[in-house]
Amino acid sequence: MLFNSPVFLLMFLPLTIAGFYWCTRYRDSRIAILWLLAASLVFYAAWDWRYLALLGASIGVNYLFGQRLRRQPHRGLLAAGVGFNLALIAYYKYADFFLANLNTATGGSIPLLALALPLGISFFTFQQIAYLVDAHRGEVSDGGFARYALFVAFFPQLIAGPIVHHSDVMPQLKRIVRNYRVGSNVVAQGLFFLLVGLFKKVVIADSLAPWVDPVFAAAGDATFFEAWVGTLAYSLQLYFDFSAYSEMAIGLGLLFGIRLPINFNSPYQATTIADFWRRWHMTLGRFLRAYLYIPIGGNRRGLARTLAALTVTMLLGGLWHGAGWQFLAWGGLHGLFLATAYAWSLGKIRLPLPLSRGLTLLAVCWAWVLFRAANIDDATTLWATMLGMNGVELPVLFASVADFLPGVSSVASSHFTGIEFVAVVALFYWVLTQPNVAERAATIVPTRRWAGAVSAAAIAAMVYLGQPSAFLYFEF
Amino acid sequence: MELTHPVPADKWNLWNRVVLAVVFVWLIITVATNAIVDPYYVFRLVPLGKGYTPNERNAKLEYLLAHPRSHDAFLIGSSRMGVYNPAQASALRPGRHYYNLSVFGGDAVDSLVMLKTLKAQGVTIREVVMGVDPGTFLHPRSAADPSYRHHPVVTGEPRWRFLVDHLLVSSFYHSISKLEHFALETTSTPVLNFDFTTGQWQLVGRERRIRADPAGYRHEVFGSRPIPQAHPVRWLEPRFEEFRALVSWLHANHVEVYFFLHPLNWRERKALEPSALDEFVRRIEGIAGPVKNYLGKPEWRDDKHFYDPKHYRPYVAEALLRQLWLDPSTRPVQATTRRKTIG
């Protein structure tokens, strides 16, 4: 069930909301929590019911570990709990990657497991690792099994985040009591996030896909222009797609009075690569910082240790995104960017802000090629093309420009007329200069103008809601 | 993220209701339009004319699945094949009962999935004629357009999901087009006619305009277009593999198949480098063997033979079919395996 599917928007969501409000009004809070939990499990089962047991087992085992750690912190028990979660994700997500590489290295032919990746496993595993670590530190209180299960399985964030920290949500779940009321201002914000997020996904992100897919499907055939437009379009598609999902998740949470954390803060407006990682997938960054980077030393143990910690954190962060060498390479590239930026900052040399922002944006878009390409070979082929090493060809629309420039030719493109470049530049201008959805959500007022704007976004989204397409981050 | 402007709750209540009401009303309008006007010919609740559907993939399969024994030979390919008359094909091939299974933007993948589905559903496929369209080897597919959505039996999706999606799909352009077509049909001046029983399109409105003022029509459709310049072309490589898969399946299923290359309007031909076209022919023949090549036929290049730069008129199609089968050199592109006969 996708957020942007009619079944979700018109059947599941209204039923869940109606049931929740009925439970809080006529029953006690436990029933309301159980109703939401049941709805969340139905949501998950709609994807693949076979993995419902896995989700249940993960929640149950982690809850038991957490209870023990809360009462009696024990490093061995913590290691076992974290190990359980890592083993789960290693088995389902990385086993075939490991086996395939082992076969390649040894010439063996161990059969691959061909396991389907349980949806959301990367997210709910990290959520629970954080819970166990904090339970060991004495930083969690017991909210009961139902609330814990709901904290993990709450459907708005279950499949693709935000990676919710227990401190974000558990106190809010404890406030769901009899006659619980969600303020109309909160509902309004929820509608805003949901409908604007839907607009971003179906109108903007999905419209960019035709400029991305053909380029990355045949990397060796892309021209200079196609490679650049495809890369820039993908940078925008990923941002709009992923931020849209997070915003829809936030909006859905608000409809139940639950505030999920913001996950994107205009990342392409970042001034440095470190700033980028404080704005992009913020909840993942928070997790990596608190539970990986800082525990392995952070920036407190000298330059060499800091650079190593940055690199290791980003390598593993890359690997989290996918079981493939290109993801590892993408993480490593960002680790290199961060390490370079950190070392540069120690020299206290400041670049002019526009240059710093431009370089950061260029580096991020450059690295996205690895993220999207089918493999590292395709990525390097596209990079070479983007550098003009395979010739510089512009589409026919720019033939007069091509004629003017030495070494530049024009070719009839299979995929582009040339106008796409204008659209991509316009979108980037918007993204780089305008407030983001969360910033706008804080300023809405109940006026006709805002009602018109939100309604128009919803109608536009419904016009485009022809064939629902999956959110890109579902693959993780 | 907390709201910066404190506002009384009742104002927010009203605001929420207005937004939800607008969304709800739009939803009702969308559902009602899709169910009643039914532009994609899915629900068939209200008979609003008969000669219109933007989704041939669904409509043609629906008809053939309901009449599995009516046809055993198919014209396949893209919209360039749309005006081909299956009755003429049947007359030229006694014993065969042709149906025009071509679809908008139809390529090898479309043809293959539809043929496979028909065969799996018990339809006998004895013979196939395909016009190979170089355009389908150049342009990516419009995957998200509901007009290109295959019948649920082809995709394997549940019929309820297919219906629910079509209740909520955006369709105002096609709905208005269908209503316009219905209005014209009832006043005896239809613009186009789609015959579900044959799969053939008839662009009657364009034919009327051409007969009334041939020069005026040509000027209107072609006159303002710039003379194209030839440019190198990059063919979409996966399309050749998809074509190969179609050819292999046809051979494996003992289907007698005739391929030909469509005649191109002089503008379309001029926009493609001669070497690109030669390469295209070479690669197609490398997969399918010798094919009838009408790409550069001088007698079919002029604007007068075309509705637009891509689609030629029915008499051209008729002439090509006659040439295809009355030419003694024509041979089906058939492997040397034993033909399966209808038992």
Side-chain angles (χ1 to χ4, degrees), chain A residues 50-285:
Chain A
R50 294 171 298 174
Y51 289 112
L52 202 53
L54 174 74
L55 177 65
S58 172
I59 290 172
V61 169
N62 277 290
Y63 181 72
L64 289 173
F65 269 114
Q67 290 289 90
R68 290 292 296 271
L69 285 167
R70 215 172 44 82
R71 283 192 284 269
Q72 195 173 1
H74 188 280
R75 289 180 77 91
L77 198 60
L78 174 63
V82 172
F84 165 75
N85 285 290
L86 292 178
L88 212 58
I89 198 173
Y91 176 69
Y92 281 101
K93 194 166 178 177
Y94 300 108
D96 278 353
F97 175 60
F98 174 75
L99 290 173
N101 282 284
L102 187 63
N103 286 337
T104 303
T106 62
S109 56
I110 305 170
L112 302 183
L113 304 176
L115 297 167
L117 183 66
L119 271 170
I121 191 169
S122 304
F123 294 90
F124 64 71
T125 306
F126 269 27
Q127 259 179 260
Q128 296 184 99
I129 288 175
Y131 180 81
L132 293 181
V133 171
D134 287 351
H136 181 260
R137 291 173 182 167
E139 293 173 6
V140 306
S141 59
D142 183 31
F145 177 71
R147 286 195 179 86
Y148 175 81
L150 185 57
F151 144 65
V152 177
F154 189 38
F155 72 88
Q157 49 84 29
L158 173 60
I159 301 297
I163 301 176
V164 174
H165 195 260
H166 58 86
S167 63
D168 292 329
V169 166
M170 291 291 261
Q172 298 185 69
L173 295 180
K174 287 179 185 173
R175 286 200 290 270
I176 298 176
V177 295
R178 191 177 168 85
N179 292 320
Y180 173 72
R181 287 285 182 269
V182 179
S184 50
N185 56 332
V186 176
V187 171
Q189 268 198 323
L191 286 175
F192 180 85
F193 271 106
L194 180 63
L195 297 174
V196 173
L198 188 64
F199 174 87
K200 282 174 68 174
K201 163 62 180 169
V202 301
V203 177
I204 302 178
D206 289 351
S207 298
L208 290 164
W211 301 345
V212 175
D213 297 343
V215 172
F216 286 88
D221 292 339
T223 64
F224 173 83
F225 180 87
E226 290 169 349
W228 272 106
V229 170
T231 298
L232 294 176
Y234 179 66
S235 304
L236 288 166
Q237 182 194 16
L238 187 62
Y239 168 63
F240 279 104
D241 190 284
F242 194 15
S243 64
Y245 185 93
S246 295
E247 282 142 18
M248 292 183 73
I250 291 168
L252 290 167
L254 285 171
L255 294 179
F256 299 95
I258 296 169
R259 288 191 181 275
L260 298 176
I262 300 292
N263 220 8
F264 288 84
N265 183 20
S266 303
Y268 291 152
Q269 295 180 14
T271 53
T272 65
I273 197 74
D275 188 29
F276 171 80
W277 280 104
R278 285 191 291 270
R279 294 166 174 264
W280 177 278
H281 202 173
M282 293 159 65
T283 55
L284 175 66

Side-chain angles (χ1 to χ4, degrees), chain A residues 6-7 10-11 183-189 191-193 195 210 214 217-218 220-223 226 250 254 259-260 262 390 393 396 399 410-415 438 441-452 454-456 458-459 462-468, chain B residues 1-20 22-27 30-31 137-146 148-150 157 160-161 164-166 168-172 229-238 271-272:
Chain A
V7 171
L10 302 174
M11 287 164 53
S184 50
N185 56 332
V186 176
V187 171
Q189 268 198 323
L191 286 175
F192 180 85
F193 271 106
L195 297 174
D221 292 339
T223 64
E226 290 169 349
I250 291 168
L254 285 171
R259 288 191 181 275
L260 298 176
I262 300 292
N390 296 320
E393 293 162 323
V396 171
S410 64
V411 65
S413 170
S414 305
H415 313 298
T443 63
I444 58 169
V445 284
T447 60
R448 281 182 209 165
R449 182 172 151 261
W450 274 112
V454 174
S455 302
I459 289 172
M462 285 194 289
V463 169
Y464 274 72
L465 214 58
Q467 284 194 334
Chain B
M1 188 170 69
E2 300 280 348
L3 284 166
T4 54
H5 307 294
V7 173
D10 58 340
K11 286 196 186 297
W12 280 119
N13 268 327
L14 179 62
W15 191 89
N16 292 336
R17 286 188 183 130
V18 166
V19 170
L20 286 171
V22 168
V23 170
F24 185 70
V25 166
W26 184 266
L27 193 66
T30 301
V31 169
F137 289 73
L138 279 173
H139 305 298
R141 298 184 183 103
S142 300
D145 189 336
Y148 289 75
R149 191 161 174 177
H150 275 286
E157 64 182 309
W160 69 263
R161 179 166 287 169
V164 167
D165 286 347
H166 278 87
L168 298 159
V169 75
S170 164
S171 67
F172 284 107
Q229 302 295 320
H231 292 280
V233 164
R234 287 176 190 266
W235 302 104
L236 294 176
E237 290 303 316
L272 302 171

Side-chain angles (χ1 to χ4, degrees), chain A residues 366-403:
Chain A
W366 190 263
W368 285 137
V369 173
L370 264 173
F371 202 76
R372 177 60 176 83
N375 47 59
I376 293 181
D377 283 343
D378 275 9
T380 53
T381 299
L382 278 171
W383 281 335
T385 305
M386 289 164 73
L387 289 172
M389 290 163 67
N390 296 320
V392 177
E393 293 162 323
L394 302 179
V396 171
L397 186 69
F398 300 124
S400 53
V401 174
D403 291 342

